[in-house]
Amino acid sequence: MRRVSSLCADLAGVALVFLLSVTVVDIVARRVGLFNVRGVVEISTMAVVLVGFLGLSHSFLLGGHIVVDLATKWLPRRANDRIDAIAMLVAAVCLTIVVVFMWRATARSYFDNAISLDLQIPMFAFWLPATIGMSLAPVACVVSARDKWRGESVE
């Protein structure tokens, strides 16, 4: 799980570098009057979504989310870890529901031969990696919950 999650996080990093590169090229090329990148808004939107969905599971495994513990900071670390583990399991259930809807949308985009408006890219090519990345998130939550419950947190 950790290797696959790490690979997805690396792909998210590639998508982020691609997003930055396309944006810089578009701005510089327009500024000097050479050309503008067709579909830059579409490319940017797809890249941002891929960054989020592909990096989500890795963030859960690393404990990389913001935690506000004003109500529980006085409790012992073990109690806080147990509370975090339960919260991760609740998150896993909620994310699983989202994943089901994403797989339905992915299948629909495939069977409908949906294409993007500007670049005419098959939407399935965009939906599939996003859905795979999102599908790892509930699993990562369960792994993180197990580690927190055992007191093996990464932090």
Side-chain angles (χ1 to χ4, degrees):
M1 175 62 202
R2 294 188 194 282
R3 284 186 187 153
V4 173
S5 177
S6 181
L7 175 64
C8 283
D10 290 343
L11 291 174
V14 169
L16 182 59
V17 170
F18 179 73
L19 166 67
L20 296 172
S21 300
V22 168
T23 304
V24 168
V25 167
D26 182 54
I27 291 170
V28 170
R30 272 189 291 131
R31 191 78 168 149
V32 298
L34 294 174
F35 61 89
N36 54 336
V37 177
R38 180 175 170 233
V40 73
V41 172
E42 197 170 272
I43 292 168
S44 298
T45 302
M46 289 180 178
V48 167
V49 169
L50 288 176
V51 168
F53 286 145
L54 290 173
L56 187 61
S57 64
H58 198 62
S59 183
F60 279 118
L61 290 176
L62 293 178
H65 296 292
I66 295 172
V67 176
V68 180
D69 61 353
L70 296 175
T72 62
K73 69 179 181 179
W74 55 273
L75 292 173
R77 179 160 177 95
R78 184 84 172 138
N80 276 318
D81 284 346
R82 295 283 169 105
I83 292 169
D84 291 346
I86 293 167
M88 284 290 137
L89 293 176
V90 171
V93 170
C94 295
L95 289 170
T96 300
I97 293 167
V98 172
V99 166
V100 168
F101 284 110
M102 283 187 72
W103 276 110
R104 287 181 182 171
T106 302
R108 190 170 37 254
S109 75
Y110 177 77
F111 291 117
D112 292 347
N113 293 319
I115 55 174
S116 65
L117 294 174
D118 194 14
L119 296 175
Q120 305 294 300
I121 299 170
M123 291 303 291
F124 180 74
F126 162 70
W127 272 100
L128 187 61
T131 303
I132 290 170
M134 186 62 176
S135 297
L136 295 173
V139 178
C141 283
V142 171
V143 170
S144 179
R146 182 202 65 201
D147 292 348
K148 283 279 191 179
W149 193 266
R150 292 178 177 172
E152 300 172 3
S153 59
V154 176
E155 303 157 5

